[in-house]
Amino acid sequence: MSRPHFTLPQARRIALAAQGFSTARSANPARRHVASLLDRLHLLQIDSVNVLARAHYMPLFSRLGVYDPQLLDEAAHGSPERRQVFEYWGHEASFVRLDLHPLLRWRMARAAENCGIYGGLADFARENRVLIAGVKREVAARGRISAGDLERALAAGTGTRKGGWWGWSDVKRALEWLFWAGEIAIAERRNFERIYDLTERVIPAKVLNLPTPLEHDAQRQLIRLAVKAHGIATERCLRDYFRLPANDAKARIAELAEAGELLPINIEGWSTTAWLDPDAAVPPRPLRCRALLSPFDPLVWERTRTERLHNFRYRIEIYTPAHKREFGYYTLPFLLNERIVARLDLKADRVGAKLIASSIHAEPGTERIEIGKGLAEELVLLAQWLRLEDIAVPQEWRTAIPF
């Protein structure tokens, strides 16, 4: 039986719809809109870079427009009845939907056996079991506490202090291991610093009491969620969404394909088999959307996928020396309708209350005048969301971008 064949524009439209770009923005985004997107995306990557906005806030802005970031803060660290996500290693450090906690317990169990964590932390844990147990007792006794505060408190009691702000002390390593193993959780963040507590005092009992699925069952469900979020994906994309081990992902994909829960398809120009969500369909009309995308947006997480779907080679250049950067320090792709048409190096000057586009590069074959109006509207929204009063763009774009 021949496989279904999709053109590249059809595949792109399915992928964009799966990521929430086929839905018109609400005039007044509320908690239910945030919840709906969390149901669709499943998790949001966390990153410390704040040159524009923290990574976890941006995907919601890209899809909702001007919303109150406090809605996500409440979803992550609010009262138990308002909490919708928890922090853990999903796609890197992430806010993960709260109901998915059971699906990641296999990862916690592996970490407790020093598997699936980086070697230095595993070696530390094997050599410092007594210290780790002592750190957990301190968290239990003291309640919500940061690594720095706990380290200082223990140092005051012993007259010594190991490590420093830029190094990992034994206390920090112990907390990190306990977090990986699911024995402690992040209760909140203060100025982005993690505040830890025992897991049972952070994750609601109704979630902790949910049954723990078998490892293979949990991984299959994570693959199902990944294909729902992608709509259409390769094995590499599906594995990457929740950062599943390669061998595990390969086995689970084969099992789901045999059960008819993943459909193998061909995509124009792709040499690799792609998988289709059985519930996905090509939206009947072209999508009318626009969005500035964070480097950590799930639409562009997997860079190979971004190249295949959008013919857009994307690399973040934060760690590239300034003189070697091609596009800028913190470039955001600009999605207009169904194509990524430009990239902007953006910065929020909070002291000067100004949104600064240090550079704007249109994609080959795209004229500035084609994208200027849509880009202007999106920059105005972004400045409004960030509470910035002015917008600066490069001289050569001022005619094309009509503010």
Side-chain angles (χ1 to χ4, degrees), residues 231-258:
I232 203 165
T234 64
E235 177 184 312
R236 179 170 176 167
C237 302
L238 296 176
R239 179 177 79 232
D240 179 72
Y241 207 82
F242 286 96
R243 292 293 168 90
L244 298 178
N247 289 339
D248 290 330
K250 189 178 185 68
R252 304 295 84 77
I253 289 169
E255 292 160 3
L256 290 169
E258 184 176 359

Side-chain angles (χ1 to χ4, degrees), residues 158-401:
T158 62
T160 63
R161 173 179 167 80
K162 295 182 179 180
W165 184 252
W166 294 109
W168 275 66
S169 71
D170 289 346
V171 170
K172 290 190 178 91
R173 286 180 177 151
L175 288 168
E176 181 67 5
W177 187 91
L178 289 164
F179 175 62
W180 264 104
E183 296 186 31
I184 63 174
I186 297 173
E188 59 180 307
R189 282 182 181 257
R190 297 173 191 161
N191 297 321
F192 204 66
E193 185 179 19
R194 290 173 167 184
I195 307 299
Y196 296 96
D197 204 345
L198 295 180
T199 297
E200 56 266 33
R201 298 201 292 235
V202 175
I203 307 297
K206 65 180 181 181
V207 174
L208 287 180
N209 292 335
L210 292 172
T212 301
L214 296 175
E215 186 173 283
H216 291 180
D217 292 337
Q219 291 173 349
R220 273 192 292 272
Q221 183 59 16
L222 292 174
I223 293 290
R224 290 186 188 101
L225 294 173
V227 79
K228 291 289 183 190
H230 276 316
I232 203 165
T234 64
E235 177 184 312
R236 179 170 176 167
C237 302
L238 296 176
R239 179 177 79 232
D240 179 72
Y241 207 82
F242 286 96
R243 292 293 168 90
L244 298 178
N247 289 339
D248 290 330
K250 189 178 185 68
R252 304 295 84 77
I253 289 169
E255 292 160 3
L256 290 169
E258 184 176 359
E261 295 187 60
L262 291 178
L263 303 181
I265 61 170
N266 295 322
I267 298 177
E268 171 191 6
W270 292 21
S271 59
T272 304
T273 296
W275 300 98
L276 178 70
D277 171 14
D279 296 327
V282 181
R285 290 177 296 278
L287 303 184
R288 307 292 296 175
C289 59
R290 64 169 196 265
L292 288 161
L293 303 168
S294 159
F296 306 99
D297 192 291
L299 186 69
V300 294
W301 270 342
E302 217 295 295
R303 306 307 199 212
T304 303
R305 172 183 176 83
T306 306
E307 289 186 40
R308 285 175 171 165
L309 270 178
H310 299 279
N311 191 28
F312 184 81
R313 187 180 186 278
Y314 184 38
R315 301 292 185 273
I316 190 168
E317 297 181 292
I318 289 174
Y319 306 110
T320 303
H323 68 282
K324 293 185 177 181
R325 289 178 192 141
E326 185 177 3
F327 298 109
Y329 179 80
Y330 195 74
T331 57
L332 282 74
F334 177 51
L335 173 70
L336 184 62
N337 300 327
E338 298 179 354
R339 294 173 51 229
I340 295 177
V341 295
R343 66 188 87 200
L344 292 77
D345 183 18
L346 290 176
K347 174 184 178 180
D349 175 5
R350 294 175 177 87
V351 175
K354 181 182 292 188
L355 176 63
I356 301 173
S358 301
S359 68
I360 305 175
H361 293 85
E363 284 299 283
T366 303
E367 298 295 330
R368 292 175 186 170
I369 197 67
E370 295 177 49
I371 64 179
K373 182 176 183 296
L375 183 53
E377 291 172 351
E378 199 64 15
L379 288 171
V380 168
L381 274 185
L382 180 60
Q384 181 184 346
W385 180 58
L386 295 174
R387 299 182 179 181
L388 303 174
E389 298 172 1
D390 197 8
I391 303 171
V393 300
Q395 176 69 39
E396 65 270 21
W397 278 85
R398 291 179 187 172
T399 302
I401 300 179

